[in-house]
Amino acid sequence: MRTYTFLFMLFAGVLCAQADDLSLRYSRPAADWTDALPVGNGRMGAMVYGGIRCDELQLNEATFWAGGPHRNDNPAALQSLAEVRRLIFEGRNMEAQNLINRTFLSGRNGMPYETLGSLLIERPDAHPDAVTDYTRRLDLQQAVATTEWTEGGVRYRTEVIASLPTGVIVVHLTASRPRSLTFRLRFRSPMPAFTTHTDGRRLTARASGKEHEGVPAALHMETQLEARLRDGAQTLTDSTVTVTAATEATLYIAAATNFVNYHDTSASEHERATSLLDSARRQSWNRLQQAHTRAHRRYFDRVSLKLNDNDNENEDMDTDERVRRFAAQADSLTCPDPALLTLLFQYGRYLIIASSQPGGQAATLQGLWNRDVVPVWDSKYTININTQMNYWPAEVTNLSELAEPLFHLVDDLSHTGRETARTMYGASGWCAHHNTDIWRTTGMVDGAFWGAWPNGGAWLTTHLWEHYLYTGDRDFLARAYPALRGAADFYRTFLVPHPRYGWMVTCPTVSPEHGPGGETSGSASVVAGPTMDNEIVRDVLTQTLLAARTLGVDTLYRDSLRQLLGQLPPLQIGRHGQLQEWLEDLDRPEDHHRHVSHLYGLYPSGQISARLTPREWNACRVTLNQRGDEATGWSIGWKLNLWARLHDGNHAYTLVRSLLHLLPSDRVRKEYPAGRLYPNLFDAHPPFQIDGNFGFTAGVAEMLLQSHEGALRLLPALTAAWAEGRVQGLRARGGFEVGIEWREGRLVQAAIKSLQGRDCRLIIPVGESMHVSDAKGRPVPADTTSGILRFSTRKGSTYYINRGF
């Protein structure tokens, strides 16, 4: 009987959760870019300000970057490599670092992601002081940004979508009184060679990318705008479109560049933009919006979350005010606005859908959105954690297909990185350092302290193996295997024996952006064999070995990987009880650096766990306590996941509360050191970095479900602040889709759907028992060994887990 009751409650709960108002809401126009609301379709993005006299849509196109095809290797690196290694092994690290700065850098640090500019919707006759009932909102479930207000007895409404099916931006303007829409449209852009013109039907903007660091601009963009009206008239000049006395207006905005791939810029931006707009303009607003929302909800509706069962009494409040109130009212065991946390969790999923679509580019440091010609850190791909963090929620929150642009990025790097491995290190395979861009550069950037780290590509390959673990897609694994093997080949030929310890280690390298003396001490960061490197090498070699075995290839090669795995440094626990960051015991308890790179083995990797490595698992707790909770926004997101892996839900919730502090503007930094969210819920480093949003979403999922130990853990890090709730649609490794309901902090029932027909293994909490039934309530045979419940499944069948009484 419990099964049928839960079935009703679970799926009724999904409907209830999805019926909640998952909207960001504001009672005033955006004053700054980090107040504006993002829409995107993986190709084009827009930040919607919702202005009255002047509305702005700041526009991006995912392939509009500075520079052009180029490389940033320095062949002089290979000539000095032996000397660099000798200096490091002799303890002369600063001399080695200085030599790297002279011989490894190319002077090219990567190309910036650029803005197209903005579309302005100007209403010179509007009177903001006379406006009432203003509202601006972003509906995450519908993927529509809407602005409404009343003036002079007329209700004005503007809706904006980034159409997933068509790849264009569409704006729909209406007024409650016929023929009340009068406005002017124009483009504005800071880009070089920006011009506009009209053919009498469309307004077209053109611009070039920017030369950067001596790399000539190879990209050109074209943005086309066409307006379709009901009633009224429009007049076009070479710089404006003026609409007069319309009842309804639909604006179609298409943008394109001449980018083909990292070595080809031969496409026609004009033909592409024209084709996109020709296709979209044939469809009405209603048809476009409905098709777009269907396409969006195909992803979005897969997962629902309800934390505590109180109604969302704050849903009509401005979202930034909700954040302020949460920060003021929450303590370690209370959750004053659980619906806000659900909103932020689903916002991360919304942003993945909007910024990373199959066939497109991977999400950058700012996702799809950037207003600057040269943004902070170039808004490129920082691959010593930030790009990886962008995709942490993809598999577990049921958006697996949306990691495809990341896999495409890895495939590109596996080709461009071969030249880097060969010319800089004399190594086989491929490598990439800690940054790349649309041109797939793989050399060292930014200086040795931060950039002497050739492991970014290798880390990225672990996402390929994770995708296989979640999906069981052997065809995908076969396609991914060359990149996996290439990363392993690099380590087989790059690792060298440490003269003191005898282990095979990376050298030269760093523990990302950190050194034993700290980042600002003036000391060296360049070392041999830091813990994170050893963990990444172990993952890459192990995963390549398992992939080869799964595919039935490279038998002798697998033996060489096993042999090298046996020569890697072990994880070490230092004098303070901490997990050591370096081979030597150099950690300082007062060190509060934002990177906790040596805890990679705890998360996102699964090398460290309570069941398999309890000593190292406890040492990670010591490290996290020493580092503290205060950090940049993305670092808080990482620590949230780490505390979840330590099964400490209440401490994980401390990180949730740390993130829920408002930073009023992305132009403000030092004055608001505790602020970690902007008014539009973008994460603040500060400034804006989207990885913190994705880290939060992944962290909440990790508190509710884990599957990295070869078995599932249900509610492994549930906080007392979430006494009851339910989640549906999370994914687990091994091919399972999971729904969970809990009450009074304990499991009520879980529903596990088998997607691959593999055996399911569940870790049973100490002192508890569980039993399994099928959809008809019949017991399913299961055995329990060493605290793990195991039962066979059939592909497509759902199984129900009840706590024993």
Side-chain angles (χ1 to χ4, degrees):
M1 184 63 185
R2 279 196 303 266
T3 300
Y4 294 113
T5 301
F6 177 72
L7 272 170
F8 173 78
M9 291 174 62
L10 178 62
F11 293 107
V14 171
L15 295 175
C16 176
Q18 300 290 27
D20 284 345
D21 183 14
L22 291 173
S23 296
L24 283 68
R25 183 182 301 270
Y26 306 87
S27 58
R28 64 194 182 283
D32 204 347
W33 190 81
T34 47
D35 299 333
L37 298 174
V39 297
N41 54 35
R43 286 195 66 261
M44 286 192 72
M47 296 293 288
V48 184
Y49 281 65
I52 298 171
R53 285 182 64 88
C54 180
D55 196 0
E56 178 176 358
L57 276 70
Q58 184 270 312
L59 301 172
N60 288 103
E61 203 274 353
T63 63
F64 193 48
W65 292 62
H70 70 286
R71 296 201 61 86
N72 62 350
D73 313 310
N74 188 343
L78 184 57
Q79 300 170 22
S80 64
L81 180 60
E83 177 65 7
V84 166
R85 285 171 168 164
R86 184 183 69 82
L87 291 170
I88 290 173
F89 289 137
E90 290 180 0
R92 299 159 64 184
N93 300 65
M94 183 56 78
E95 293 177 59
Q97 185 162 296
N98 291 336
L99 181 56
I100 290 172
N101 279 326
R102 293 195 301 272
T103 59
F104 279 59
L105 298 170
S106 69
R108 294 175 174 175
N109 296 299
M111 300 296 111
Y113 178 48
E114 297 181 319
T115 180
L116 298 178
S118 297
L119 173 68
L120 304 181
I121 306 174
E122 299 174 325
R123 305 177 182 89
D125 295 332
H127 298 88
D129 292 343
V131 164
T132 59
D133 300 324
Y134 178 95
T135 182
R136 178 171 62 96
R137 66 183 181 275
L138 174 63
D139 186 323
L140 302 185
Q141 191 172 21
Q142 302 296 318
V144 180
T146 304
T147 306
E148 294 182 275
W149 70 85
T150 299
E151 181 185 354
V154 180
R155 188 68 176 167
Y156 295 92
R157 180 183 179 97
T158 302
E159 299 165 279
V160 183
I161 63 171
S163 169
L164 282 172
T166 66
V168 304
I169 305 290
V170 188
V171 184
H172 187 232
L173 302 98
T174 58
S176 62
R177 181 185 300 163
R179 299 181 178 275
S180 295
L181 291 175
T182 296
F183 55 87
R184 181 174 61 240
L185 305 170
R186 64 183 178 92
F187 287 115
R188 179 178 68 190
S189 176
M191 298 309 302
F194 173 70
T195 61
T196 61
H197 69 275
T198 184
D199 61 0
R201 185 165 61 101
R202 294 176 181 175
L203 182 64
T204 297
R206 294 184 57 83
S208 298
K210 194 174 185 298
E211 174 275 335
H212 191 71
E213 297 180 335
V215 181
L219 292 178
H220 310 285
M221 75 83 176
E222 180 165 309
T223 307
Q224 297 183 13
L225 164 69
E226 181 173 341
R228 293 179 61 184
L229 309 180
R230 180 159 66 91
D231 303 328
Q234 59 178 308
T235 304
L236 284 80
T237 71
D238 280 335
S239 58
T240 62
V241 178
T242 301
V243 173
T244 306
T247 300
E248 178 182 349
T250 304
L251 314 180
Y252 303 83
I253 308 159
T257 76
N258 56 313
F259 178 86
V260 178
N261 55 45
Y262 61 87
H263 55 80
D264 185 352
T265 58
S266 63
S268 167
E269 64 275 14
H270 173 71
E271 291 178 2
R272 284 177 163 179
T274 300
S275 176
L276 287 166
L277 197 55
D278 284 348
S279 177
R281 70 172 297 278
R282 299 188 186 101
Q283 303 178 56
S284 68
W285 162 257
N286 286 338
R287 183 178 175 185
L288 282 167
Q289 187 270 319
Q290 290 169 10
H292 163 68
T293 295
R294 279 196 305 271
H296 172 79
R297 292 187 67 172
R298 183 169 69 88
Y299 300 115
F300 189 84
D301 286 355
R302 293 174 182 175
V303 172
S304 65
L305 174 66
K306 185 81 168 179
L307 298 175
N308 301 339
D309 277 337
N310 61 312
D311 294 330
N312 183 7
E313 58 187 27
N314 298 315
E315 65 181 24
D316 293 329
M317 186 185 300
D318 280 14
T319 300
D320 54 343
E321 181 58 27
R322 291 174 69 180
V323 174
R324 290 189 188 93
R325 291 197 179 193
F326 189 100
Q329 296 173 7
D331 60 35
S332 60
L333 296 177
T334 64
C335 185
D337 189 352
L340 177 62
L341 302 185
T342 297
L343 181 68
L344 189 57
F345 168 82
Q346 293 285 26
Y347 191 43
R349 298 183 67 247
Y350 168 88
L351 292 172
I352 296 177
I353 298 168
S355 64
S356 183
Q357 284 287 314
Q361 297 297 314
T364 74
L365 200 60
Q366 296 181 183
L368 185 60
W369 303 276
N370 163 49
R371 65 175 167 188
D372 296 315
V373 177
V374 182
V376 178
W377 300 299
D378 296 333
S379 186
K380 50 183 186 288
Y381 302 107
T382 303
I383 56 176
N384 66 2
I385 184 172
N386 311 98
T387 301
Q388 289 88 341
M389 184 182 279
N390 283 0
Y391 288 90
W392 284 353
E395 303 291 348
V396 69
T397 70
N398 216 333
L399 298 173
S400 186
E401 310 97 307
L402 304 189
E404 187 269 347
L406 180 70
F407 305 150
H408 180 69
L409 169 65
V410 176
D411 183 64
D412 284 350
L413 293 176
S414 73
H415 292 87
T416 60
R418 289 187 176 275
E419 183 73 5
T420 300
R422 184 182 66 83
T423 61
M424 293 186 67
Y425 299 107
S428 301
W430 69 277
C431 72
H433 289 75
H434 89 293
N435 267 259
T436 190
D437 55 24
I438 200 169
W439 309 112
R440 305 320 193 220
T441 53
T442 50
M444 186 183 299
V445 305
D446 295 342
F449 189 99
W450 301 275
W453 193 72
N455 305 292
W459 185 352
L460 286 171
T461 66
T462 66
H463 286 252
L464 305 175
W465 179 249
E466 284 289 295
H467 182 74
Y468 171 71
L469 291 182
Y470 276 92
T471 65
D473 187 341
R474 286 174 58 93
D475 291 338
F476 169 84
L477 186 62
R479 295 192 302 271
Y481 182 70
L484 287 166
R485 173 162 176 164
D489 284 342
F490 174 71
Y491 286 133
R492 289 177 66 239
T493 50
F494 175 67
L495 299 186
V496 293
H498 197 293
R500 182 184 308 171
Y501 306 115
W503 298 318
M504 297 295 288
V505 296
T506 52
C507 184
T509 186
V510 300
S511 189
E513 303 187 27
H514 193 27
E519 190 173 14
T520 59
S521 66
S523 60
S525 68
V526 174
V527 295
T531 296
M532 185 189 217
D533 281 24
N534 303 329
E535 293 168 325
I536 290 175
V537 173
R538 187 172 291 109
D539 266 352
V540 168
L541 299 182
T542 301
Q543 291 168 6
T544 304
L545 190 159
L546 292 173
R549 188 174 71 187
T550 301
L551 296 170
V553 299
D554 293 342
T555 303
L556 294 178
Y557 181 72
R558 285 181 248 163
D559 293 336
S560 71
L561 297 181
R562 290 188 190 94
Q563 182 178 5
L564 186 53
L565 279 165
Q567 298 174 285
L568 299 180
L571 296 171
Q572 299 182 90
I573 298 174
R575 64 190 184 279
H576 305 293
Q578 87 287 3
L579 189 74
Q580 288 183 196
E581 186 165 0
W582 295 277
L583 288 179
E584 295 79 18
D585 191 357
L586 302 174
D587 300 274
R588 297 169 293 118
E590 66 275 13
D591 181 3
H592 301 301
H593 195 268
R594 63 192 176 277
H595 282 261
V596 281
S597 301
H598 46 316
L599 302 193
Y600 163 93
L602 178 64
Y603 185 93
S605 179
Q607 294 177 36
I608 301 172
S609 69
R611 287 182 56 245
L612 303 178
T613 56
R615 290 182 67 250
E616 291 79 4
W617 187 73
N618 284 314
C620 291
R621 184 184 303 273
V622 174
T623 293
L624 279 177
N625 281 322
Q626 290 175 348
R627 285 291 170 94
D629 296 333
E630 286 302 317
T632 58
W634 68 263
S635 181
I636 289 174
W638 192 0
K639 290 176 180 177
L640 167 59
N641 284 274
L642 290 166
W643 280 109
R645 283 283 174 93
L646 290 173
H647 306 161
D648 193 334
N650 287 339
H651 203 133
Y653 184 63
T654 298
L655 275 300
V656 169
R657 292 189 295 112
S658 294
L659 195 67
L660 269 288
H661 286 80
L662 199 69
L663 187 65
S665 166
D666 67 346
R667 302 300 189 192
V668 179
R669 297 192 196 181
K670 295 180 181 178
E671 292 84 346
Y672 296 89
R676 292 296 173 257
L677 288 179
Y678 292 112
N680 65 359
L681 299 189
F682 272 176
D683 170 75
H685 178 285
F688 165 52
Q689 285 187 198
I690 202 167
D691 44 12
N693 290 101
F694 297 140
F696 175 85
T697 297
V700 170
E702 202 70 23
M703 293 171 72
L704 303 176
L705 175 68
Q706 295 178 14
S707 60
H708 60 285
E709 299 171 273
L712 281 65
R713 282 188 188 266
L714 307 176
L715 306 178
L718 187 64
T719 171
W722 304 341
E724 55 188 44
R726 49 188 173 266
V727 64
Q728 175 69 11
L730 297 181
R731 287 285 181 91
R733 296 167 184 86
F736 301 100
E737 187 169 300
V738 182
I740 310 170
E741 184 179 29
W742 68 94
R743 191 177 303 119
E744 296 180 353
R746 302 188 71 185
L747 175 72
V748 173
Q749 193 177 57
I752 300 176
K753 183 177 181 180
S754 177
L755 305 176
Q756 299 173 29
R758 297 184 178 184
D759 286 359
C760 183
R761 303 169 79 241
L762 286 172
I763 297 174
I764 303 174
V766 175
E768 295 192 6
S769 62
M770 295 180 179
H771 60 267
V772 189
S773 57
D774 63 16
K776 296 183 177 180
R778 297 173 300 197
V780 172
D783 63 78
T784 302
T785 305
S786 301
I788 295 180
L789 178 76
R790 178 173 180 168
F791 58 96
S792 299
T793 73
R794 294 180 61 185
K795 183 177 179 179
S797 296
T798 300
Y799 302 85
Y800 300 89
I801 312 301
N802 291 283
R803 184 164 47 86
F805 294 94

